Amino acid sequence: MYAGVGLTAIAALVPFLDRAVLADHVRAGYPGYAPDAVDAAVTAYLVILAVVGALGLLGWTGTIWATHAGKRWATWLATALLTLGLCVAIAALTIRDTSGDVGLAPLLGWLLVVPCVPGLAAVVLSRRV
């Protein structure tokens, strides 16, 4: 589960480290946007991705705590959070905006899938115990 925390943190930080991925994606979808409009769209995406990342880290922390505390509902929590994480990742990869292109840059959408891998492993392993 600690791998999930690390991967979630990386997925949350990458958009801030390389804003150009988002800016290029917005410019490609909306070539008529002024630089200020592109910056506003990038800022909006960064806020959304930061909230998603923070909620993901909170979910991992809660699941780790519940597991270590021996809570019987820890497996259900992990399963629910995995389902939610997969829904967010699928939405990021598939929802189209008004330009007809995928709203979020595909690289960043796929980056949201990465923490789901240790999430799936955590759920599978917790059900075997």
Side-chain angles (χ1 to χ4, degrees):
M1 283 192 254
Y2 292 106
V5 171
L7 291 172
T8 300
I10 290 168
L13 291 174
V14 165
F16 288 92
L17 298 175
D18 192 5
R19 293 174 56 115
V21 171
L22 281 169
D24 291 345
H25 183 71
V26 171
R27 269 191 230 97
Y30 299 95
Y33 267 21
D36 289 345
V38 171
D39 287 342
V42 168
T43 299
Y45 273 121
L46 289 176
V47 169
I48 292 166
L49 292 171
V51 169
V52 168
L55 290 173
L57 290 172
L58 186 63
W60 278 111
T61 304
T63 304
I64 290 169
W65 171 82
T67 302
H68 285 292
K71 302 295 182 183
R72 293 170 37 133
W73 44 264
T75 300
W76 292 105
L77 175 64
T79 303
L81 291 174
L82 172 62
T83 303
L84 185 61
L86 285 169
C87 288
V88 168
I90 290 167
L93 288 168
T94 60
I95 292 180
R96 301 200 177 278
D97 65 12
T98 57
S99 72
D101 198 4
V102 180
L104 183 63
L107 170 68
L108 299 178
W110 282 107
L111 199 56
L112 291 176
V113 175
V114 174
C116 295
V117 175
L120 178 61
V123 168
V124 169
L125 291 174
S126 69
R127 293 208 183 266
R128 296 177 112 195
V129 175

